[in-house]
Amino acid sequence: MNSLDVRGCQIIAGYIAPPEEGGPVGVFVTFALIPNSTCVPAAACYANCDGSTVSPVLNANDFLCFLERFAEGASYANCDGSTTPPVLNANDFQCFMNSYYAGCS
């Protein structure tokens, strides 16, 4: 069974609560989730931000996706899981680049 990275989400009776609604950051589950418009689980590979499935899975669209998530302040962009303000910072860019470089297996 594949695990989903649901960083920034919490399972509450089938609902995935984002941190803005009291859900903790860094919660990971190993069962299937139904995404909603508030908090969408990331793909099994963090660097595959756009969730593409066609080769090459990692491409420039993933960088654009990450930049958009960062600009909107989405919890997904908190790649390093930091909790001290500013939560989104240059470390998240470095973390994303490291994830991208590591690739998807």
Side-chain angles (χ1 to χ4, degrees):
M1 175 183 235
N2 292 334
S3 61
L4 296 174
D5 179 356
V6 289
R7 195 174 315 198
C9 303
Q10 179 182 15
I11 305 304
I12 301 176
Y15 177 72
I16 306 169
E20 303 83 56
E21 295 178 20
V25 173
V27 175
F28 296 91
V29 295
T30 56
F31 50 90
L33 301 173
I34 300 173
N36 61 44
S37 62
T38 306
C39 184
V40 180
C45 175
Y46 180 78
N48 187 12
C49 179
D50 67 354
S52 59
T53 57
V54 178
S55 187
V57 173
L58 297 182
N59 54 51
N61 292 334
D62 296 301
F63 280 101
L64 293 174
C65 175
F66 179 81
L67 290 174
E68 289 172 0
R69 294 279 184 93
F70 188 92
E72 66 189 26
S75 59
Y76 171 88
N78 187 14
C79 179
D80 67 356
S82 60
T83 57
T84 305
V87 175
L88 298 181
N89 54 50
N91 293 334
D92 296 302
F93 282 100
Q94 186 63 52
C95 176
F96 179 80
M97 291 189 329
N98 290 343
S99 295
Y100 187 93
Y101 178 74
C104 297
S105 53

